[in-house]
Amino acid sequence: MTVGHYLEEFHGLPVFHFQDTDSDTRVELPDAAAVAWRLSSPTYCEDDDEQWGAQFERFLKTVDVGRVRALVVGGWDEAYENSSADIVTALIAANNRLTSLEAVFLGDMAGEDCEISWIIQSDVTPLLAAYPALREFGVRGGSELAFPSIRHTGLERLVVETGGLGAEVVRGIVGSDLPALENLELWLGTDEYGGDSTADDLAPLLSGAAFPALRSLGLCNSVIQDAVAAAVAGAPVLARIERLDLSMGVLTDEGAAALLDGQPLTHLSHLDLSHHYLSEAMRERVLAALAPHGVAVDLDDAQEADDEGDGRVWRYVAVAE
């Protein structure tokens, strides 16, 4: 989970903050292909702040952009009111210059910049279409995010981090034709922040019909984590998954039992259930079933439900607002 701080590494490269390289600091620029370049402007811009568009123009003039492999977009002016559409348009317009671009992350903001569910996104699929050689794409923020089904033959990793991921977006992603996709991570979130999808919306993914190269699957941060776990337990796709991530949600003993009582999990190399609501007995059952088979199981960050009285309890996802 990275929402508490800025990305330090992306696409296997250290992140370099381009905004720190104005003429006064005289910072020596790294090799264009050796880092992931982070461009960001304050989300609460003052008159003398360099806005994102101006910084991007300076970047295009300063760096050997034909060799740039990875870009990280941080904040932009009033990201809680202005969508990422202008950022997407600017990146598309530069596709004839960013000819080696393999990876983009859109919205690398921490809470002090803009809460995750306040980040206003846009339709990001034109950006993917403009870069057919893109191998990795990540986006943070679900408000106004759109992802109609697309075909992209190069994308290997897709990460969508939200406090609430809309059902239409989920259906667009799992209905896409991404034959090279090996790693998919979706933060489904809570209905309080627009996460209105159900396990049924994941059907094309779980059936195994989508994404034939998929080996790592994350369905995370979900208020319906028990239902997701039960759906995964009976899903044909599970047989070819090597890393399964069901972390950050409200997984209880019910969901964990469904997972253990479903298809065998002993072929997994890693199972991440961190930030969970499992009893000690269930944690022991999970470890006893999987650890002897060499499965690395993450059961960190055990949570306790809040008692609201009258038999009601409150459980929360790791990242919402």
Side-chain angles (χ1 to χ4, degrees):
M1 185 172 66
T2 61
V3 295
H5 58 274
Y6 303 139
L7 291 172
E8 297 179 357
E9 182 179 293
F10 179 58
H11 198 54
L13 301 169
V15 173
F16 181 82
H17 293 242
F18 180 73
Q19 62 266 41
D20 297 334
T21 63
D22 61 34
S23 58
D24 294 331
T25 60
R26 301 180 184 277
V27 174
E28 183 177 354
L29 295 178
D31 180 86
V35 299
W37 296 83
R38 185 178 189 272
L39 282 72
S40 183
S41 63
T43 54
Y44 299 89
C45 278
E46 304 293 340
D47 291 340
D48 58 347
D49 285 326
E50 183 182 45
Q51 297 192 4
W52 196 92
Q55 186 178 111
F56 185 55
E57 287 301 317
R58 182 165 60 89
F59 170 75
L60 293 175
K61 294 175 182 177
T62 306
V63 175
D64 183 5
V65 292
R67 300 184 63 247
V68 169
R69 296 172 54 205
L71 278 178
V72 175
V73 176
W76 56 86
D77 183 23
E78 298 182 343
Y80 47 89
E81 291 185 355
N82 298 323
S83 81
S84 62
D86 286 347
I87 312 295
V88 171
T89 298
L91 292 174
I92 290 171
N95 69 342
N96 62 334
R97 302 182 63 182
L98 292 162
T99 53
S100 298
L101 193 62
E102 298 176 349
V104 174
F105 190 96
L106 184 59
D108 181 37
M109 288 176 252
E112 59 266 27
D113 302 311
C114 188
E115 297 288 355
I116 187 171
S117 293
W118 299 3
I119 300 171
I120 308 298
Q121 287 289 353
S122 60
D123 185 351
V124 296
T125 54
L127 178 58
L128 295 175
Y131 290 91
L134 208 65
R135 295 171 51 199
E136 180 170 0
F137 181 69
V139 59
R140 180 175 298 161
S143 182
E144 297 187 23
L145 178 66
F147 201 110
S149 296
I150 61 165
R151 174 173 170 78
H152 192 290
T153 60
L155 197 66
E156 299 172 358
R157 176 175 170 83
L158 175 61
V159 177
V160 183
E161 301 176 351
T162 79
L165 189 58
E168 185 175 356
V169 180
V170 172
R171 289 192 292 266
I173 292 171
V174 303
S176 292
D177 185 2
L178 306 173
L181 193 70
E182 299 176 357
N183 188 315
L184 176 65
E185 184 177 322
L186 303 178
W187 294 15
L188 301 174
T190 170
D191 52 359
E192 293 181 343
Y193 292 98
D196 59 352
S197 66
T198 68
D200 290 341
D201 294 314
L202 300 167
L205 164 66
L206 299 180
S207 72
F211 318 142
L214 194 68
R215 296 296 179 268
S216 179
L217 176 61
L219 299 171
C220 310
N221 198 48
S222 177
V223 73
I224 58 166
Q225 204 75 332
D226 282 349
V228 170
V232 169
V237 73
L238 182 59
R240 55 183 167 86
I241 296 299
E242 298 169 1
R243 297 179 60 89
L244 179 62
D245 186 349
L246 299 177
S247 66
M248 302 169 57
V250 294
L251 185 72
T252 71
D253 285 7
E254 179 182 349
L259 199 60
L260 291 178
D261 293 340
Q263 299 174 72
L265 302 173
T266 52
H267 66 288
L268 295 175
S269 63
H270 188 88
L271 174 63
D272 190 347
L273 302 179
S274 57
H275 185 97
H276 59 81
Y277 291 83
L278 305 186
S279 65
E280 183 176 354
M282 180 55 72
R283 296 198 295 271
E284 292 175 354
R285 181 183 167 192
V286 170
L287 289 173
L290 300 179
H293 298 275
V295 181
V297 182
D298 189 342
L299 288 167
D300 289 346
D301 199 17
Q303 302 292 317
E304 293 288 341
D306 293 334
D307 187 353
E308 295 188 323
D310 299 327
R312 296 175 301 165
V313 295
W314 172 254
R315 300 181 180 93
Y316 56 90
V317 298
V319 178
E321 188 176 32

